[in-house]
Structure formats: C-alpha cells, structure tokens
Coordinates of all heavy atoms in Angstrom, one line a residue:
M134 N 0.8 -1.2 0.0 CA 0.0 0.0 0.0 C 0.9 1.2 0.0 O 1.9 1.3 0.6 CB -0.9 0.0 1.2 CG -2.1 0.9 1.2 SD -3.0 0.8 2.7 CE -3.4 2.5 2.9
A135 N 0.4 2.3 -0.7 CA 1.2 3.5 -0.8 C 1.2 4.2 0.5 O 0.2 4.2 1.3 CB 0.6 4.4 -1.9
V136 N 2.4 4.8 0.9 CA 2.5 5.6 2.1 C 2.5 7.0 1.8 O 3.3 7.5 1.0 CB 3.8 5.1 2.9 CG1 4.0 5.9 4.2 CG2 3.8 3.6 3.1
P137 N 1.7 7.9 2.5 CA 1.7 9.3 2.2 C 3.0 10.0 2.6 O 3.5 9.7 3.7 CB 0.5 9.9 3.0 CG 0.2 8.8 4.0 CD 0.6 7.5 3.4
R138 N 3.6 10.8 1.7 CA 4.9 11.4 2.0 C 4.7 12.6 2.9 O 5.6 12.8 3.8 CB 5.5 11.8 0.6 CG 6.9 12.3 0.8 CD 7.6 12.5 -0.6 NE 7.9 11.2 -1.2 CZ 8.7 11.1 -2.3 NH1 9.1 12.1 -2.9 NH2 9.0 9.9 -2.8
N139 N 3.6 13.4 2.7 CA 3.4 14.6 3.5 C 2.0 14.6 4.1 O 1.1 14.0 3.5 CB 3.6 15.9 2.7 CG 5.1 16.0 2.3 OD1 5.4 15.9 1.1 ND2 5.9 16.4 3.2
R140 N 1.9 15.2 5.3 CA 0.6 15.3 5.9 C -0.3 16.3 5.2 O 0.2 17.4 4.9 CB 0.8 15.6 7.4 CG -0.5 15.7 8.2 CD -0.2 16.2 9.6 NE -1.4 16.1 10.4 CZ -2.3 17.0 10.5 NH1 -2.1 18.1 9.8 NH2 -3.3 16.9 11.3
H141 N -1.6 16.0 5.0 CA -2.5 16.9 4.4 C -3.3 17.5 5.6 O -3.6 16.8 6.6 CB -3.5 16.2 3.5 CG -3.0 15.9 2.2 ND1 -3.8 15.6 1.1 CD2 -1.7 15.9 1.7 CE1 -3.0 15.4 0.0 NE2 -1.7 15.6 0.4
S142 N -3.5 18.8 5.5 CA -4.3 19.5 6.6 C -5.7 19.1 6.6 O -6.2 18.5 5.6 CB -4.2 21.0 6.4 OG -4.9 21.4 5.2
N143 N -6.4 19.3 7.7 CA -7.9 19.0 7.7 C -8.6 19.7 6.7 O -9.6 19.2 6.1 CB -8.4 19.3 9.1 CG -7.9 18.3 10.2 OD1 -7.6 17.2 9.9 ND2 -7.8 18.7 11.4
A144 N -8.3 21.0 6.4 CA -9.0 21.8 5.4 C -8.8 21.2 4.0 O -9.8 21.1 3.2 CB -8.5 23.2 5.4
R145 N -7.6 20.7 3.7 CA -7.3 20.1 2.4 C -8.1 18.8 2.3 O -8.7 18.5 1.2 CB -5.8 19.9 2.3 CG -5.4 19.5 0.8 CD -3.9 19.6 0.7 NE -3.5 18.9 -0.5 CZ -2.3 18.8 -0.9 NH1 -1.3 19.2 -0.2 NH2 -2.0 18.1 -2.0
K146 N -8.1 18.0 3.3 CA -8.9 16.7 3.3 C -10.4 17.0 3.1 O -11.0 16.4 2.3 CB -8.7 16.0 4.7 CG -9.5 14.8 4.9 CD -9.3 14.2 6.3 CE -10.0 15.1 7.3 NZ -9.8 14.6 8.7
N147 N -10.9 18.0 3.9 CA -12.3 18.3 3.8 C -12.7 18.9 2.5 O -13.8 18.7 2.0 CB -12.8 19.2 5.0 CG -12.6 18.5 6.3 OD1 -12.7 17.2 6.3 ND2 -12.4 19.2 7.3
T148 N -11.8 19.7 1.9 CA -12.1 20.3 0.5 C -12.2 19.2 -0.5 O -13.0 19.3 -1.4 CB -11.0 21.3 0.2 OG1 -10.9 22.3 1.2 CG2 -11.2 22.0 -1.1
K149 N -11.3 18.2 -0.4 CA -11.3 17.1 -1.3 C -12.6 16.4 -1.2 O -13.3 16.0 -2.2 CB -10.1 16.2 -1.0 CG -10.0 15.1 -2.1 CD -8.7 14.3 -1.8 CE -9.0 13.0 -1.0 NZ -7.8 12.2 -0.8
R150 N -13.1 16.1 0.1 CA -14.3 15.4 0.3 C -15.6 16.1 0.0 O -16.7 15.6 0.1 CB -14.3 14.8 1.8 CG -13.2 13.8 2.0 CD -13.2 13.3 3.4 NE -12.0 12.4 3.5 CZ -11.7 11.8 4.7 NH1 -12.4 12.1 5.8 NH2 -10.7 11.0 4.8
A151 N -15.5 17.4 -0.3 CA -16.7 18.2 -0.6 C -17.3 17.7 -1.9 O -18.5 18.0 -2.1 CB -16.3 19.7 -0.7
H152 N -16.6 17.0 -2.7 CA -17.1 16.5 -4.0 C -17.6 15.1 -3.9 O -17.9 14.5 -4.9 CB -16.0 16.6 -5.1 CG -15.5 18.0 -5.3 ND1 -16.2 19.0 -6.1 CD2 -14.4 18.7 -4.8 CE1 -15.5 20.1 -6.0 NE2 -14.4 19.9 -5.3
H153 N -17.5 14.5 -2.7 CA -17.9 13.1 -2.6 C -19.3 12.8 -2.3 O -19.7 11.6 -2.0 CB -17.0 12.4 -1.5 CG -15.6 12.3 -1.8 ND1 -14.7 11.6 -1.0 CD2 -14.9 12.7 -2.9 CE1 -13.5 11.6 -1.6 NE2 -13.6 12.3 -2.7
A154 N -20.2 13.8 -2.3 CA -21.6 13.6 -2.0 C -22.3 12.8 -3.1 O -21.9 12.8 -4.3 CB -22.3 15.0 -1.9
K155 N -23.2 11.9 -2.7 CA -23.9 11.0 -3.6 C -24.8 11.8 -4.5 O -25.6 12.7 -4.0 CB -24.7 10.0 -2.8 CG -25.1 8.8 -3.7 CD -25.7 7.7 -2.8 CE -26.0 6.5 -3.7 NZ -26.8 5.5 -3.0
K156 N -24.7 11.5 -5.8 CA -25.6 12.2 -6.8 C -26.9 11.6 -6.9 O -27.1 10.4 -6.6 CB -24.9 12.2 -8.2 CG -23.5 12.7 -8.3 CD -23.5 14.2 -8.4 CE -22.1 14.7 -8.7 NZ -21.0 14.3 -7.7
P157 N -28.0 12.4 -7.2 CA -29.3 11.8 -7.3 C -29.4 10.9 -8.5 O -28.7 11.0 -9.5 CB -30.3 13.0 -7.4 CG -29.4 14.1 -7.9 CD -28.0 13.8 -7.4
L158 N -30.3 9.9 -8.4 CA -30.5 8.9 -9.5 C -31.0 9.7 -10.8 O -31.9 10.5 -10.7 CB -31.5 7.8 -9.1 CG -31.0 6.8 -8.2 CD1 -32.2 5.9 -7.8 CD2 -29.9 6.0 -8.7
M159 N -30.5 9.3 -12.0 CA -31.0 9.8 -13.2 C -32.2 9.0 -13.6 O -32.1 7.9 -14.1 CB -29.9 9.7 -14.3 CG -28.7 10.7 -14.1 SD -29.2 12.4 -14.0 CE -29.6 12.6 -15.8
L160 N -33.4 9.6 -13.4 CA -34.6 8.9 -13.7 C -35.1 9.3 -15.1 O -35.0 10.5 -15.5 CB -35.7 9.2 -12.7 CG -35.5 8.6 -11.3 CD1 -36.6 9.0 -10.4 CD2 -35.5 7.1 -11.4
S161 N -35.6 8.3 -15.9 CA -36.2 8.6 -17.2 C -37.5 7.8 -17.3 O -37.8 6.9 -16.4 CB -35.2 8.2 -18.3 OG -34.9 6.8 -18.2
T162 N -38.3 8.0 -18.3 CA -39.5 7.3 -18.5 C -39.3 6.1 -19.4 O -38.6 6.2 -20.4 CB -40.6 8.2 -19.0 OG1 -40.2 8.8 -20.1 CG2 -41.0 9.2 -17.9
C163 N -39.9 5.0 -19.1 CA -39.8 3.8 -20.0 C -40.5 4.0 -21.3 O -41.6 4.6 -21.4 CB -40.4 2.6 -19.3 SG -40.5 1.1 -20.3
S164 N -39.9 3.6 -22.4 CA -40.5 3.8 -23.8 C -41.6 2.8 -24.0 O -42.4 3.1 -24.9 CB -39.4 3.6 -24.8 OG -38.9 2.3 -24.7
N165 N -41.7 1.8 -23.2 CA -42.7 0.8 -23.4 C -44.0 1.0 -22.5 O -45.1 1.0 -23.0 CB -42.2 -0.6 -23.1 CG -43.2 -1.7 -23.4 OD1 -43.7 -1.8 -24.5 ND2 -43.4 -2.6 -22.5
C166 N -43.7 1.3 -21.2 CA -44.9 1.4 -20.3 C -45.0 2.8 -19.7 O -45.9 3.0 -18.9 CB -44.8 0.3 -19.2 SG -43.5 0.5 -18.1
A167 N -44.0 3.7 -20.0 CA -44.0 5.1 -19.5 C -43.9 5.2 -18.0 O -44.2 6.2 -17.4 CB -45.3 5.8 -20.0
A168 N -43.4 4.1 -17.3 CA -43.1 4.2 -15.9 C -41.8 4.8 -15.7 O -40.9 4.7 -16.6 CB -43.2 2.8 -15.3
S169 N -41.5 5.5 -14.6 CA -40.2 6.1 -14.4 C -39.3 5.0 -13.9 O -39.5 4.2 -13.1 CB -40.3 7.2 -13.3 OG -40.6 6.6 -12.0
C170 N -38.1 5.0 -14.6 CA -37.1 4.0 -14.3 C -35.7 4.6 -14.4 O -35.5 5.7 -15.0 CB -37.2 2.8 -15.2 SG -37.2 3.2 -17.0
I171 N -34.7 3.9 -13.9 CA -33.3 4.4 -13.9 C -32.8 4.3 -15.4 O -33.0 3.2 -16.0 CB -32.4 3.6 -13.0 CG1 -33.0 3.7 -11.5 CG2 -31.0 4.2 -12.9 CD1 -32.4 2.7 -10.6
S172 N -32.1 5.3 -15.9 CA -31.6 5.2 -17.3 C -30.5 4.2 -17.4 O -29.7 4.0 -16.4 CB -31.1 6.6 -17.7 OG -30.2 7.1 -16.9
H173 N -30.4 3.5 -18.5 CA -29.4 2.5 -18.8 C -29.6 1.3 -17.9 O -28.7 0.5 -17.7 CB -28.0 3.0 -18.8 CG -27.7 4.1 -19.7 ND1 -27.6 5.4 -19.3 CD2 -27.6 4.2 -21.0 CE1 -27.4 6.2 -20.3 NE2 -27.4 5.5 -21.4
R174 N -30.9 1.0 -17.4 CA -31.2 -0.1 -16.7 C -32.5 -0.7 -17.3 O -33.3 0.0 -17.9 CB -31.4 0.2 -15.2 CG -30.3 0.8 -14.5 CD -29.2 -0.2 -14.2 NE -28.2 0.3 -13.3 CZ -27.2 1.2 -13.6 NH1 -27.2 1.7 -14.8 NH2 -26.4 1.5 -12.6
I175 N -32.7 -2.0 -17.0 CA -34.0 -2.7 -17.4 C -35.1 -2.0 -16.6 O -35.0 -1.8 -15.4 CB -33.9 -4.2 -17.2 CG1 -32.8 -4.8 -18.1 CG2 -35.2 -4.9 -17.5 CD1 -32.5 -6.2 -17.8
C176 N -36.2 -1.8 -17.3 CA -37.4 -1.2 -16.6 C -37.9 -2.2 -15.6 O -38.1 -3.4 -15.9 CB -38.5 -0.9 -17.6 SG -40.1 -0.4 -16.9
G177 N -38.1 -1.8 -14.3 CA -38.6 -2.6 -13.3 C -40.0 -3.0 -13.4 O -40.5 -4.0 -12.8
A178 N -40.8 -2.2 -14.1 CA -42.2 -2.5 -14.2 C -42.6 -3.5 -15.3 O -43.4 -4.4 -15.1 CB -43.0 -1.2 -14.5
C179 N -41.9 -3.4 -16.5 CA -42.3 -4.3 -17.6 C -41.1 -5.1 -18.1 O -41.3 -6.1 -18.9 CB -42.8 -3.5 -18.8 SG -41.6 -2.4 -19.5
G180 N -39.9 -4.9 -17.7 CA -38.7 -5.7 -18.1 C -38.2 -5.4 -19.5 O -37.5 -6.3 -20.0
F181 N -38.5 -4.2 -20.0 CA -38.0 -3.9 -21.3 C -36.7 -3.1 -21.2 O -36.5 -2.4 -20.3 CB -39.0 -3.0 -22.1 CG -39.9 -3.8 -23.0 CD1 -40.8 -4.7 -22.4 CD2 -39.9 -3.6 -24.3 CE1 -41.6 -5.5 -23.2 CE2 -40.8 -4.3 -25.2 CZ -41.6 -5.3 -24.6
Y182 N -35.8 -3.3 -22.2 CA -34.6 -2.4 -22.3 C -34.2 -2.4 -23.8 O -34.1 -3.4 -24.5 CB -33.4 -3.0 -21.5 CG -32.2 -2.1 -21.6 CD1 -32.1 -0.9 -20.9 CD2 -31.1 -2.4 -22.4 CE1 -31.0 -0.1 -21.0 CE2 -30.0 -1.6 -22.5 CZ -30.0 -0.5 -21.8 OH -28.9 0.4 -21.9
G183 N -34.1 -1.1 -24.3 CA -33.7 -0.9 -25.7 C -34.7 -1.4 -26.6 O -34.4 -1.8 -27.7
G184 N -36.0 -1.3 -26.3 CA -37.1 -1.6 -27.2 C -37.3 -3.1 -27.2 O -38.2 -3.6 -28.0
K185 N -36.6 -3.9 -26.4 CA -36.8 -5.4 -26.4 C -37.2 -5.9 -25.0 O -36.8 -5.3 -24.0 CB -35.5 -6.1 -26.9 CG -35.2 -6.0 -28.4 CD -34.0 -6.8 -28.7 CE -32.7 -6.1 -28.3 NZ -31.5 -6.9 -28.8
S186 N -38.0 -7.0 -25.0 CA -38.3 -7.6 -23.7 C -37.1 -8.4 -23.2 O -36.8 -9.4 -23.8 CB -39.6 -8.4 -23.9 OG -39.9 -9.0 -22.6
I187 N -36.5 -8.0 -22.1 CA -35.4 -8.7 -21.5 C -35.9 -9.8 -20.5 O -35.4 -10.9 -20.5 CB -34.4 -7.7 -20.9 CG1 -34.0 -6.6 -21.9 CG2 -33.1 -8.5 -20.4 CD1 -33.3 -7.1 -23.1
I188 N -36.7 -9.3 -19.6 CA -37.3 -10.2 -18.6 C -38.8 -10.3 -18.9 O -39.5 -9.3 -18.9 CB -37.0 -9.7 -17.2 CG1 -35.5 -9.6 -16.9 CG2 -37.6 -10.6 -16.1 CD1 -35.2 -8.8 -15.7
A189 N -39.3 -11.5 -19.1 CA -40.7 -11.7 -19.3 C -41.5 -11.6 -18.0 O -41.2 -12.3 -17.0 CB -41.0 -13.1 -19.9
K190 N -42.4 -10.6 -17.9 CA -43.2 -10.4 -16.7 C -44.5 -11.0 -16.9 O -45.1 -11.0 -18.0 CB -43.3 -8.9 -16.4 CG -42.1 -8.2 -16.1 CD -41.8 -8.1 -14.6 CE -40.4 -7.5 -14.4 NZ -40.1 -7.4 -13.0
E191 N -45.1 -11.6 -15.8 CA -46.4 -12.3 -15.9 C -47.5 -11.2 -16.0 O -47.5 -10.2 -15.4 CB -46.7 -13.1 -14.6 CG -45.9 -14.4 -14.6 CD -46.2 -15.2 -13.3 OE1 -47.3 -15.1 -12.8 OE2 -45.3 -15.9 -12.8
K192 N -48.4 -11.5 -17.0 CA -49.5 -10.6 -17.2 C -50.7 -10.9 -16.3 O -51.0 -12.1 -16.1 CB -50.0 -10.6 -18.7 CG -49.0 -9.9 -19.6 CD -49.4 -10.2 -21.1 CE -48.3 -9.6 -22.0 NZ -48.5 -9.9 -23.4
V193 N -51.3 -9.9 -15.6 CA -52.3 -10.1 -14.6 C -53.7 -10.1 -15.4 O -53.9 -9.2 -16.2 CB -52.3 -9.1 -13.5 CG1 -53.5 -9.3 -12.6 CG2 -51.0 -9.1 -12.8
Ligands
LIG293 ZN1 -41.5 -0.3 -18.7

C-alpha cells in the first residue's frame, strides 16, 4: 500500500471530500410502459430495455 509522503491539513482533506456527495439517480421514463425507471437499466415495471423484452413479466 502507498505511504503518504506529507501530511494533508484537515482543510485540504475536507475540501477534497466536498465533492464526494452522492448524486441523485438519473430517472427517465420507460419507452414501453411510460413508468419512471433508472436510465441504462432494465425497466422494473415491464422488463424492457432498448425496445426489447429482456425479462418476461407475468400478465395479470
Ligand atoms: Zn417499462
């Protein structure tokens, strides 16, 4: 493991960590069922991704 050569001040450490906050999820609407879903993920409601059915969901 790398060993730090010089000590960083608390201000320098905290300034670096100011950018570490978690970003909100990028939500988009599904092209098949129009439910809100995470972009670049399979739709949780209907199982579609990229215009194709990836996971077959049971129809009620
Ligand atoms: Zn969908």
Side-chain angles (χ1 to χ4, degrees):
M134 198 181 140
V136 179
R138 189 170 283 188
N139 293 106
R140 183 183 187 273
H141 283 194
S142 66
N143 287 333
R145 192 167 163 183
K146 175 186 71 181
N147 293 335
T148 304
K149 188 174 99 177
R150 290 180 185 176
H152 301 279
H153 288 189
K155 197 173 182 188
K156 303 280 190 301
L158 286 175
M159 292 298 290
L160 289 176
S161 61
T162 53
C163 176
S164 59
N165 185 54
C166 68
S169 69
C170 53
I171 305 167
S172 56
H173 303 106
R174 299 288 194 282
I175 297 171
C176 175
C179 66
F181 265 64
Y182 182 76
K185 288 185 284 186
S186 177
I187 307 297
I188 302 168
K190 298 267 177 177
E191 287 182 29
K192 286 172 185 172
V193 179

